[in-house]
Amino acid sequence: MRLRNKPWAKDRIAENPQYVVANPESHKGNWSKVFGNDNPIHIEVGTGKGQFLVGMAKQNPNVNYIGIELFESIIVVALDRLIEEKLPNLKLLNVDAATLNDIFGKNDVERVYLNFSDPWPKNRHAKRRLTYKTFLKRYEDLLVDGGEIHFKTDNQGLFEYSLTSFSEYGLLLKYVSLDLHKSDFEGNVMTEYEEKFSNAGQRIYRCEVKYLN
Ligand code: SAM
């Protein structure tokens, strides 16, 4: 994701706490109050400019979505989309995924989406991959029992690494597609990266995995 310096982004985020939740730690264990209903909560880690979650929130009004994005200059684009669409079932958090367990308690979340996560191809950076075992533990500690991770990427190396990481962690591989756009999967909502890579002729890998607890 190309980072542009946007000095105004911080203010814009602070002015819209109804969309980019301020002090998210204060809602740990209580996220249904933020949405005003008991619908299930699905989060996307590394949400980027928000195309996927805006599409999902429109497609599934009975699911609450939360997008997690580290960079102000990127999340502000998702915020502008949200201001335009005014979706009641989508919130954004401008935080590092490493802090997820300060924000969500066990059973707060029903599903984690990881879309086109940074591949960190060098072995010495493996710990930064969002499918590394420490992240799988973080997700386990905020998901309901039997919660799921849904993962898409164009990167074959990251996909193979992640399938091994999921399997070694003891997750059940429920669904694996080696070419999502030629599969019979219905209701796919494209992310920005997915659109870019598939337009360039690259295949998209997808899997669904489930915690067995
Ligand atoms: N999911 C989007 C898509 O498919 O179009 C964006 C993909 S982009 C390659 C990865 C995004 O994850 C970037 O916006 C990056 O800033 C974000 N990201 C990476 N590591 C993160 C972390 N530790 N916490 C929160 N966001 C992170």
Side-chain angles (χ1 to χ4, degrees), residues 59-70:
Q59 192 184 81
N60 306 293
N62 295 327
V63 176
N64 293 326
Y65 293 94
I66 302 178
I68 318 286
E69 172 55 50
L70 183 58

Side-chain angles (χ1 to χ4, degrees), residues 1 44 46-48 68-71 74 95-97 115-116 118 130 191-193:
M1 184 78 62
E44 184 188 17
T47 209
I68 318 286
E69 172 55 50
L70 183 58
F71 291 108
I74 298 174
V95 298
D96 187 334
N115 290 319
F116 299 82
D118 297 324
L130 294 180
T191 81
E192 274 108 10
Y193 270 64

Side-chain angles (χ1 to χ4, degrees), residues 108-125:
D108 276 352
V109 176
E110 200 167 276
R111 186 178 296 169
V112 172
Y113 286 101
L114 301 173
N115 290 319
F116 299 82
S117 308
D118 297 324
W120 295 107
K122 292 184 180 144
N123 279 340
R124 69 174 191 277
H125 292 147

Side-chain angles (χ1 to χ4, degrees), residues 35-143:
F35 289 99
N37 61 54
D38 285 328
N39 291 340
I41 293 178
H42 295 181
I43 66 173
E44 184 188 17
V45 182
T47 209
K49 296 177 182 171
Q51 175 171 313
F52 175 74
L53 283 192
V54 166
M56 292 296 279
K58 283 182 175 172
Q59 192 184 81
N60 306 293
N62 295 327
V63 176
N64 293 326
Y65 293 94
I66 302 178
I68 318 286
E69 172 55 50
L70 183 58
F71 291 108
E72 288 166 356
S73 60
I74 298 174
I75 203 172
V76 79
V77 181
L79 169 60
D80 281 344
R81 280 201 164 114
L82 192 43
I83 289 171
E84 199 179 311
E85 302 278 356
K86 296 187 179 49
L87 295 163
N89 59 330
L90 173 55
K91 306 283 179 199
L92 301 168
L93 306 184
N94 183 207
V95 298
D96 187 334
T99 67
L100 279 175
N101 300 117
D102 300 331
I103 295 168
F104 299 104
K106 183 70 187 160
N107 298 326
D108 276 352
V109 176
E110 200 167 276
R111 186 178 296 169
V112 172
Y113 286 101
L114 301 173
N115 290 319
F116 299 82
S117 308
D118 297 324
W120 295 107
K122 292 184 180 144
N123 279 340
R124 69 174 191 277
H125 292 147
K127 287 182 181 174
R128 300 183 190 177
R129 296 176 194 149
L130 294 180
T131 51
Y132 186 70
K133 61 186 174 189
T134 50
F135 277 102
L136 301 185
K137 171 73 175 138
R138 287 184 180 121
Y139 308 145
E140 182 172 20
D141 289 346
L142 57 77
L143 281 165

